[in-house]
Amino acid sequence: MHTEGTLTKWNSERGFGLITPRRGGQDIAVQAADFPQDGCPPQLNERLSFSIETDAGGKRWAKNVARAGAGKGKPTADQSGRRSSRRSQLATLLAPLALLLAIGAYGYIGLYEPSAPDGGGKSASTGDSATQAVTARFFCDGRTSCDQMTSCEEATFFLRHCPGVTMDDDQDGVPCEEQWCVGVSR
């Protein structure tokens, strides 16, 4: 015979608790091993259905414990736990996707950055594929002078795309002619 009751005491360290029968009477002892092995731990005030067995010493134990109402109407603690777990798994999957989208948007904005205000050079959005490849490798990070560059290609990018650079003394469109772009002409 199945009885219904509510879990009124639970000691998770010992894996032991007490169920108060719905129709009254003495509390029934219950062990964690008698709960469904569904990954959802016992919850205080959870409604349960169970059968009662008496041991050799006369102590009554709840056996074959089931969460009352499973599968009908209002979700049980077990079903709510599974829903929370599914939401958590979904969030775990969507977070990296959102991060990738944000990085992609940042890269897109950086790739199609307009040309320098002085009109020097083409915008990456209207330039050739070689210009777009250079744009994808470099970005404006506050450096403004030749001694901060590592190549002619990098200095050229900074001159064309970044504000406030001081790398073209003779204003011929070729940056760092004495250091990085020696012999380059426009």
Side-chain angles (χ1 to χ4, degrees):
M1 176 172 87
H2 258 61
T3 304
E4 289 188 2
T6 303
L7 185 65
T8 53
K9 293 185 181 177
W10 185 254
N11 183 328
S12 58
E13 290 177 12
R14 293 180 57 201
F16 173 83
L18 296 173
I19 300 173
T20 300
R22 189 177 89 189
R23 293 188 178 160
Q26 190 176 19
D27 287 350
I28 313 287
V30 65
Q31 295 177 331
D34 292 308
F35 276 83
Q37 301 301 308
D38 56 10
C40 185
Q43 302 289 317
L44 280 178
N45 301 317
E46 179 177 15
R47 285 187 26 223
L48 303 171
S49 172
F50 55 95
S51 58
I52 301 173
E53 291 184 13
T54 306
D55 66 12
K59 182 152 183 141
R60 296 171 11 147
W61 290 91
K63 298 290 181 184
N64 304 316
V65 177
R67 291 181 165 90
K72 345 175 199 167
K74 187 175 173 184
T76 63
D78 172 45
Q79 292 167 331
S80 296
R82 276 194 239 149
R83 285 185 186 146
S84 294
S85 176
R86 285 186 197 125
R87 280 189 216 117
S88 176
Q89 289 173 348
L90 183 61
T92 301
L93 292 173
L94 290 178
L97 179 61
L99 181 62
L100 284 173
L101 287 173
I103 291 170
Y106 180 76
Y108 177 83
I109 291 167
L111 180 64
Y112 291 100
E113 182 179 310
S115 62
D118 66 357
K122 295 181 192 174
S123 164
S125 61
T126 59
D128 61 10
S129 62
T131 303
Q132 290 176 356
V134 170
T135 303
R137 288 193 357 230
F138 303 118
F139 60 93
C140 298
D141 59 7
R143 294 181 286 158
T144 58
S145 61
C146 291
D147 62 338
Q148 296 171 320
M149 300 295 122
T150 59
S151 68
C152 181
E153 185 179 38
E154 182 179 45
T156 303
F157 171 83
F158 271 76
L159 180 64
R160 290 184 180 171
H161 299 283
C162 305
V165 295
T166 56
M167 296 185 284
D168 188 11
D169 293 334
D170 58 3
Q171 303 296 314
D172 65 351
V174 179
C176 306
E177 293 169 293
E178 294 178 15
Q179 186 175 7
W180 295 110
C181 299
V182 177
V184 175
S185 62
R186 293 277 171 211

mmCIF file of all heavy atoms in Angstrom, residues 108-127 131 135 140 157-163:
data_model
loop_
_atom_site.group_PDB
_atom_site.id
_atom_site.type_symbol
_atom_site.label_atom_id
_atom_site.label_comp_id
_atom_site.label_asym_id
_atom_site.label_seq_id
_atom_site.Cartn_x
_atom_site.Cartn_y
_atom_site.Cartn_z
ATOM 1 N N TYR A 108 34.483 43.082 -37.239
ATOM 2 C CA TYR A 108 33.823 43.667 -38.404
ATOM 3 C C TYR A 108 33.926 45.189 -38.362
ATOM 4 O O TYR A 108 34.260 45.829 -39.345
ATOM 5 C CB TYR A 108 32.359 43.229 -38.442
ATOM 6 C CG TYR A 108 31.562 43.826 -39.576
ATOM 7 C CD1 TYR A 108 31.612 43.253 -40.842
ATOM 8 C CD2 TYR A 108 30.773 44.952 -39.394
ATOM 9 C CE1 TYR A 108 30.890 43.782 -41.895
ATOM 10 C CE2 TYR A 108 30.044 45.496 -40.440
ATOM 11 C CZ TYR A 108 30.109 44.908 -41.686
ATOM 12 O OH TYR A 108 29.394 45.435 -42.720
ATOM 13 N N ILE A 109 33.659 45.763 -37.195
ATOM 14 C CA ILE A 109 33.744 47.217 -37.055
ATOM 15 C C ILE A 109 35.179 47.675 -37.290
ATOM 16 O O ILE A 109 35.424 48.656 -37.978
ATOM 17 C CB ILE A 109 33.235 47.661 -35.671
ATOM 18 C CG1 ILE A 109 31.729 47.433 -35.600
ATOM 19 C CG2 ILE A 109 33.569 49.122 -35.397
ATOM 20 C CD1 ILE A 109 31.158 47.537 -34.199
ATOM 21 N N GLY A 110 36.150 46.945 -36.742
ATOM 22 C CA GLY A 110 37.558 47.300 -36.921
ATOM 23 C C GLY A 110 38.013 47.142 -38.362
ATOM 24 O O GLY A 110 38.787 47.940 -38.880
ATOM 25 N N LEU A 111 37.496 46.124 -39.042
ATOM 26 C CA LEU A 111 37.889 45.859 -40.425
ATOM 27 C C LEU A 111 37.376 46.951 -41.357
ATOM 28 O O LEU A 111 38.046 47.337 -42.303
ATOM 29 C CB LEU A 111 37.326 44.502 -40.871
ATOM 30 C CG LEU A 111 37.633 44.056 -42.287
ATOM 31 C CD1 LEU A 111 39.129 43.862 -42.443
ATOM 32 C CD2 LEU A 111 36.903 42.760 -42.603
ATOM 33 N N TYR A 112 36.207 47.474 -41.085
ATOM 34 C CA TYR A 112 35.614 48.473 -41.954
ATOM 35 C C TYR A 112 35.709 49.878 -41.370
ATOM 36 O O TYR A 112 34.861 50.706 -41.593
ATOM 37 C CB TYR A 112 34.156 48.102 -42.261
ATOM 38 C CG TYR A 112 34.106 46.887 -43.130
ATOM 39 C CD1 TYR A 112 33.854 45.631 -42.591
ATOM 40 C CD2 TYR A 112 34.383 46.979 -44.482
ATOM 41 C CE1 TYR A 112 33.842 44.508 -43.394
ATOM 42 C CE2 TYR A 112 34.369 45.858 -45.282
ATOM 43 C CZ TYR A 112 34.103 44.630 -44.739
ATOM 44 O OH TYR A 112 34.101 43.526 -45.524
ATOM 45 N N GLU A 113 36.779 50.134 -40.648
ATOM 46 C CA GLU A 113 37.028 51.460 -40.082
ATOM 47 C C GLU A 113 37.306 52.445 -41.206
ATOM 48 O O GLU A 113 38.062 52.142 -42.126
ATOM 49 C CB GLU A 113 38.248 51.359 -39.148
ATOM 50 C CG GLU A 113 38.599 52.637 -38.460
ATOM 51 C CD GLU A 113 39.790 52.422 -37.541
ATOM 52 O OE1 GLU A 113 39.769 51.479 -36.762
ATOM 53 O OE2 GLU A 113 40.734 53.195 -37.661
ATOM 54 N N PRO A 114 36.708 53.622 -41.191
ATOM 55 C CA PRO A 114 36.936 54.580 -42.284
ATOM 56 C C PRO A 114 38.380 55.068 -42.316
ATOM 57 O O PRO A 114 39.101 54.965 -41.341
ATOM 58 C CB PRO A 114 35.975 55.725 -41.960
ATOM 59 C CG PRO A 114 35.615 55.560 -40.537
ATOM 60 C CD PRO A 114 35.813 54.125 -40.180
ATOM 61 N N SER A 115 38.760 55.626 -43.471
ATOM 62 C CA SER A 115 40.135 56.104 -43.635
ATOM 63 C C SER A 115 40.388 57.314 -42.751
ATOM 64 O O SER A 115 39.478 57.919 -42.217
ATOM 65 C CB SER A 115 40.387 56.460 -45.098
ATOM 66 O OG SER A 115 39.529 57.511 -45.488
ATOM 67 N N ALA A 116 41.662 57.684 -42.641
ATOM 68 C CA ALA A 116 42.065 58.810 -41.799
ATOM 69 C C ALA A 116 41.389 60.086 -42.268
ATOM 70 O O ALA A 116 41.107 60.259 -43.450
ATOM 71 C CB ALA A 116 43.583 58.959 -41.856
ATOM 72 N N PRO A 117 41.135 61.035 -41.358
ATOM 73 C CA PRO A 117 40.432 62.267 -41.713
ATOM 74 C C PRO A 117 41.145 63.094 -42.774
ATOM 75 O O PRO A 117 40.521 63.861 -43.474
ATOM 76 C CB PRO A 117 40.358 63.043 -40.402
ATOM 77 C CG PRO A 117 40.743 62.098 -39.321
ATOM 78 C CD PRO A 117 41.430 60.957 -39.957
ATOM 79 N N ASP A 118 42.472 62.937 -42.936
ATOM 80 C CA ASP A 118 43.212 63.725 -43.920
ATOM 81 C C ASP A 118 43.021 63.207 -45.343
ATOM 82 O O ASP A 118 43.576 63.753 -46.289
ATOM 83 C CB ASP A 118 44.698 63.783 -43.560
ATOM 84 C CG ASP A 118 45.378 62.427 -43.663
ATOM 85 O OD1 ASP A 118 44.692 61.412 -43.959
ATOM 86 O OD2 ASP A 118 46.598 62.373 -43.458
ATOM 87 N N GLY A 119 42.219 62.113 -45.504
ATOM 88 C CA GLY A 119 41.942 61.581 -46.840
ATOM 89 C C GLY A 119 43.012 60.652 -47.342
ATOM 90 O O GLY A 119 42.928 60.143 -48.442
ATOM 91 N N GLY A 120 44.042 60.385 -46.568
ATOM 92 C CA GLY A 120 45.123 59.505 -47.011
ATOM 93 C C GLY A 120 44.698 58.059 -47.039
ATOM 94 O O GLY A 120 44.261 57.516 -46.056
ATOM 95 N N GLY A 121 44.816 57.445 -48.185
ATOM 96 C CA GLY A 121 44.546 56.011 -48.311
ATOM 97 C C GLY A 121 43.071 55.702 -48.455
ATOM 98 O O GLY A 121 42.217 56.546 -48.267
ATOM 99 N N LYS A 122 42.788 54.443 -48.783
ATOM 100 C CA LYS A 122 41.420 53.984 -48.961
ATOM 101 C C LYS A 122 40.904 53.393 -47.666
ATOM 102 O O LYS A 122 41.654 52.885 -46.867
ATOM 103 C CB LYS A 122 41.379 52.864 -50.013
ATOM 104 C CG LYS A 122 41.761 53.282 -51.392
ATOM 105 C CD LYS A 122 41.637 52.056 -52.263
ATOM 106 C CE LYS A 122 42.282 52.283 -53.607
ATOM 107 N NZ LYS A 122 42.303 51.081 -54.392
ATOM 108 N N SER A 123 39.614 53.404 -47.522
ATOM 109 C CA SER A 123 38.975 52.706 -46.412
ATOM 110 C C SER A 123 39.083 51.218 -46.700
ATOM 111 O O SER A 123 39.033 50.792 -47.850
ATOM 112 C CB SER A 123 37.512 53.121 -46.342
ATOM 113 O OG SER A 123 36.793 52.226 -45.554
ATOM 114 N N ALA A 124 39.178 50.402 -45.640
ATOM 115 C CA ALA A 124 39.252 48.958 -45.840
ATOM 116 C C ALA A 124 37.983 48.435 -46.486
ATOM 117 O O ALA A 124 37.989 47.434 -47.162
ATOM 118 C CB ALA A 124 39.480 48.252 -44.504
ATOM 119 N N SER A 125 36.856 49.145 -46.305
ATOM 120 C CA SER A 125 35.608 48.672 -46.886
ATOM 121 C C SER A 125 35.570 48.892 -48.393
ATOM 122 O O SER A 125 34.803 48.249 -49.077
ATOM 123 C CB SER A 125 34.416 49.363 -46.218
ATOM 124 O OG SER A 125 34.492 50.752 -46.429
ATOM 125 N N THR A 126 36.399 49.805 -48.909
ATOM 126 C CA THR A 126 36.391 50.039 -50.348
ATOM 127 C C THR A 126 37.708 49.652 -50.990
ATOM 128 O O THR A 126 37.844 49.709 -52.199
ATOM 129 C CB THR A 126 36.117 51.523 -50.657
ATOM 130 O OG1 THR A 126 37.129 52.313 -50.026
ATOM 131 C CG2 THR A 126 34.747 51.923 -50.149
ATOM 132 N N GLY A 127 38.690 49.255 -50.201
ATOM 133 C CA GLY A 127 40.014 48.921 -50.719
ATOM 134 C C GLY A 127 40.076 47.521 -51.284
ATOM 135 O O GLY A 127 39.116 46.774 -51.289
ATOM 136 N N THR A 131 44.686 45.287 -48.856
ATOM 137 C CA THR A 131 44.448 46.293 -47.807
ATOM 138 C C THR A 131 43.595 45.698 -46.701
ATOM 139 O O THR A 131 43.850 45.920 -45.523
ATOM 140 C CB THR A 131 43.755 47.534 -48.403
ATOM 141 O OG1 THR A 131 44.552 48.055 -49.460
ATOM 142 C CG2 THR A 131 43.538 48.589 -47.335
ATOM 143 N N THR A 135 44.478 45.356 -42.740
ATOM 144 C CA THR A 135 43.571 45.896 -41.740
ATOM 145 C C THR A 135 43.226 44.839 -40.697
ATOM 146 O O THR A 135 43.125 45.139 -39.521
ATOM 147 C CB THR A 135 42.287 46.420 -42.409
ATOM 148 O OG1 THR A 135 42.641 47.386 -43.379
ATOM 149 C CG2 THR A 135 41.351 47.045 -41.399
ATOM 150 N N CYS A 140 44.431 50.269 -34.493
ATOM 151 C CA CYS A 140 44.894 51.493 -33.835
ATOM 152 C C CYS A 140 44.920 51.264 -32.336
ATOM 153 O O CYS A 140 43.908 50.911 -31.740
ATOM 154 C CB CYS A 140 43.956 52.659 -34.170
ATOM 155 S SG CYS A 140 43.918 53.029 -35.937
ATOM 156 N N PHE A 157 49.826 51.223 -42.316
ATOM 157 C CA PHE A 157 48.469 51.058 -41.784
ATOM 158 C C PHE A 157 48.154 52.179 -40.796
ATOM 159 O O PHE A 157 47.104 52.805 -40.874
ATOM 160 C CB PHE A 157 48.303 49.700 -41.091
ATOM 161 C CG PHE A 157 47.000 49.590 -40.343
ATOM 162 C CD1 PHE A 157 45.838 49.234 -40.995
ATOM 163 C CD2 PHE A 157 46.932 49.887 -38.984
ATOM 164 C CE1 PHE A 157 44.628 49.164 -40.314
ATOM 165 C CE2 PHE A 157 45.734 49.820 -38.301
ATOM 166 C CZ PHE A 157 44.582 49.461 -38.966
ATOM 167 N N PHE A 158 49.061 52.425 -39.829
ATOM 168 C CA PHE A 158 48.821 53.454 -38.817
ATOM 169 C C PHE A 158 48.660 54.831 -39.458
ATOM 170 O O PHE A 158 47.802 55.607 -39.053
ATOM 171 C CB PHE A 158 49.957 53.459 -37.781
ATOM 172 C CG PHE A 158 49.710 52.520 -36.635
ATOM 173 C CD1 PHE A 158 49.884 51.151 -36.789
ATOM 174 C CD2 PHE A 158 49.302 52.997 -35.398
ATOM 175 C CE1 PHE A 158 49.655 50.279 -35.744
ATOM 176 C CE2 PHE A 158 49.072 52.129 -34.341
ATOM 177 C CZ PHE A 158 49.247 50.764 -34.514
ATOM 178 N N LEU A 159 49.465 55.137 -40.472
ATOM 179 C CA LEU A 159 49.374 56.440 -41.137
ATOM 180 C C LEU A 159 48.006 56.611 -41.808
ATOM 181 O O LEU A 159 47.400 57.670 -41.741
ATOM 182 C CB LEU A 159 50.496 56.599 -42.173
ATOM 183 C CG LEU A 159 50.512 57.932 -42.930
ATOM 184 C CD1 LEU A 159 50.778 59.077 -41.956
ATOM 185 C CD2 LEU A 159 51.557 57.911 -44.031
ATOM 186 N N ARG A 160 47.521 55.547 -42.449
ATOM 187 C CA ARG A 160 46.263 55.631 -43.194
ATOM 188 C C ARG A 160 45.015 55.559 -42.323
ATOM 189 O O ARG A 160 43.980 56.096 -42.688
ATOM 190 C CB ARG A 160 46.201 54.517 -44.232
ATOM 191 C CG ARG A 160 47.172 54.720 -45.349
ATOM 192 C CD ARG A 160 47.024 53.655 -46.391
ATOM 193 N NE ARG A 160 47.974 53.882 -47.456
ATOM 194 C CZ ARG A 160 48.197 53.029 -48.431
ATOM 195 N NH1 ARG A 160 47.533 51.899 -48.473
ATOM 196 N NH2 ARG A 160 49.083 53.304 -49.370
ATOM 197 N N HIS A 161 45.089 54.881 -41.194
ATOM 198 C CA HIS A 161 43.868 54.586 -40.442
ATOM 199 C C HIS A 161 43.788 55.167 -39.035
ATOM 200 O O HIS A 161 42.700 55.187 -38.460
ATOM 201 C CB HIS A 161 43.683 53.066 -40.336
ATOM 202 C CG HIS A 161 43.545 52.391 -41.656
ATOM 203 N ND1 HIS A 161 42.378 52.427 -42.385
ATOM 204 C CD2 HIS A 161 44.430 51.683 -42.390
ATOM 205 C CE1 HIS A 161 42.552 51.761 -43.505
ATOM 206 N NE2 HIS A 161 43.781 51.304 -43.536
ATOM 207 N N CYS A 162 44.879 55.610 -38.470
ATOM 208 C CA CYS A 162 44.852 56.010 -37.063
ATOM 209 C C CYS A 162 45.095 57.512 -36.914
ATOM 210 O O CYS A 162 46.009 58.063 -37.533
ATOM 211 C CB CYS A 162 45.913 55.242 -36.278
ATOM 212 S SG CYS A 162 45.737 53.448 -36.454
ATOM 213 N N PRO A 163 44.320 58.179 -36.084
ATOM 214 C CA PRO A 163 44.477 59.614 -35.889
ATOM 215 C C PRO A 163 45.709 59.945 -35.038
ATOM 216 O O PRO A 163 46.124 59.153 -34.209
ATOM 217 C CB PRO A 163 43.195 60.019 -35.156
ATOM 218 C CG PRO A 163 42.767 58.774 -34.444
ATOM 219 C CD PRO A 163 43.202 57.638 -35.320
#
